[in-house]
Amino acid sequence: ESLCAARLTSVANKFQIFSYPLIMKKAMGNKGLQTARILLALAHWQFTIGQVSFTLESLQSTVMAWTGNEVPLIVFGLIIWLIYSPLVWVRTLEYFKRAFAFAMLMIALGVVTTSWFAGEQIVANDGKPGAGFEPVNRESYFAMIGFAFFMFEGIGCLLPVMRETEHPENLGKITVLCLVTLCTIYMAFSMFCYYAWGASLDEPVVTEMLPADNTFVQTMKLLYCINLVFSFPITIVPTFNTLEAVIFG
């Protein structure tokens, strides 16, 4: 992904084109233009579904911990639809620059909180890994290739963000450094959590492994959901821009 990001920013700076479809058009003509539009829209549509699914699960588990009742997902889906619908009209990402800073803080809070409880679990295990821990799981190793697809979740936002920056010529190096840092954190964090919980780490969202009745955990989950509300435009903007270009030309 780092190589892909570096190449994209280099090409964008060279030709002053900050659009994936237009770059593909320059390289491959009109067929490249339409192909890029369709693939970009599909990819970000899938990422958006994953984001909404995470928000629904987090809200449902938190409200259930508060009330003791399992509220149907359709209720939270309606609430999210009412909140997200106005956001799809946003086309200038700069409006959310402060919200993006808040989102980064919430991600950091989620990582620190989860790591804290994972550390407590390791202490409870006397420093030993969780039951069923396998350093290399050969049976499901290659299944992770599919999950690795989500590593490219932000790649569709790279050029739109680059277009909004004051010094786009610096974004390539910054992006590569950020990706190397993120990759290191992803690997360390995932290994740490797996070591702590072992085979019992069976929730699709790691925050669901935290004690649901803990007030701090509940607050963290709600703040993280707010973070996703602010992150929604940066995920969905490439999809709508692309679909509008395909439909209306």
Side-chain angles (χ1 to χ4, degrees):
E1 188 178 7
S2 297
L3 178 61
C4 181
R7 293 286 179 84
L8 278 172
T9 53
S10 176
V11 170
N13 275 319
K14 182 177 180 179
F15 296 101
Q16 290 298 293
I17 299 176
F18 304 105
S19 165
Y20 291 96
L22 293 181
I23 288 178
M24 286 288 287
K25 180 180 180 180
K26 191 170 186 64
M28 303 175 62
N30 287 328
K31 289 184 178 180
L33 174 69
Q34 297 302 328
T35 301
R37 284 174 171 173
I38 294 170
L39 292 178
L40 189 63
L42 289 174
H44 272 265
W45 178 66
Q46 181 179 355
F47 294 144
T48 304
I49 291 175
Q51 186 189 70
V52 172
S53 175
F54 172 84
T55 306
L56 288 173
E57 289 185 9
S58 295
L59 287 174
Q60 185 184 50
S61 64
T62 302
V63 172
M64 185 168 62
W66 284 351
T67 64
N69 299 315
E70 186 174 353
V71 181
L73 283 176
I74 188 65
V75 175
F76 298 107
L78 179 60
I79 294 172
I80 289 176
W81 178 76
L82 291 172
I83 295 173
Y84 279 12
S85 292
L87 296 179
V88 304
W89 296 99
V90 177
R91 291 296 185 270
T92 305
L93 298 178
E94 187 180 0
Y95 295 151
F96 292 93
K97 58 185 179 182
R98 289 186 177 86
F100 294 154
F102 171 78
M104 295 301 103
L105 290 175
M106 291 305 99
I107 291 173
L109 177 63
V111 170
V112 171
T113 302
T114 305
S115 298
W116 176 271
F117 282 97
E120 287 188 338
Q121 184 65 40
I122 292 174
V123 171
N125 293 340
D126 296 324
K128 298 177 181 179
F133 173 82
E134 295 182 46
V136 179
N137 190 330
R138 292 180 173 82
E139 292 183 2
S140 60
Y141 178 82
F142 289 102
M144 292 306 298
I145 296 176
F147 287 99
F149 172 72
F150 286 93
M151 288 291 291
F152 288 87
E153 181 176 358
I155 201 70
C157 306
L158 180 60
L159 294 187
V161 170
M162 189 176 184
R163 183 178 56 241
E164 303 287 343
T165 58
E166 186 175 354
H167 300 287
E169 68 277 4
N170 296 331
L171 191 63
K173 294 179 181 178
I174 294 173
T175 302
V176 171
L177 290 174
C178 289
L179 288 173
V180 171
T181 302
L182 281 173
C183 186
T184 304
I185 294 174
Y186 284 165
M187 292 175 63
F189 178 70
S190 58
M191 291 173 64
F192 187 64
C193 291
Y194 180 49
Y195 187 88
W197 286 295
S200 63
L201 184 60
D202 54 2
E203 294 288 346
V205 180
V206 71
T207 52
E208 295 302 310
M209 296 298 298
L210 309 183
D213 58 348
N214 185 288
T215 303
F216 184 81
V217 171
Q218 295 169 4
T219 304
M220 183 270 293
K221 285 184 177 181
L222 287 177
L223 289 173
Y224 203 88
C225 289
I226 295 173
N227 147 46
L228 291 178
V229 171
F230 293 136
S231 302
F232 180 75
I234 201 172
T235 306
I236 201 65
V237 161
T239 303
F240 280 108
N241 285 345
T242 303
L243 287 177
E244 286 171 359
V246 171
I247 296 171
F248 302 109

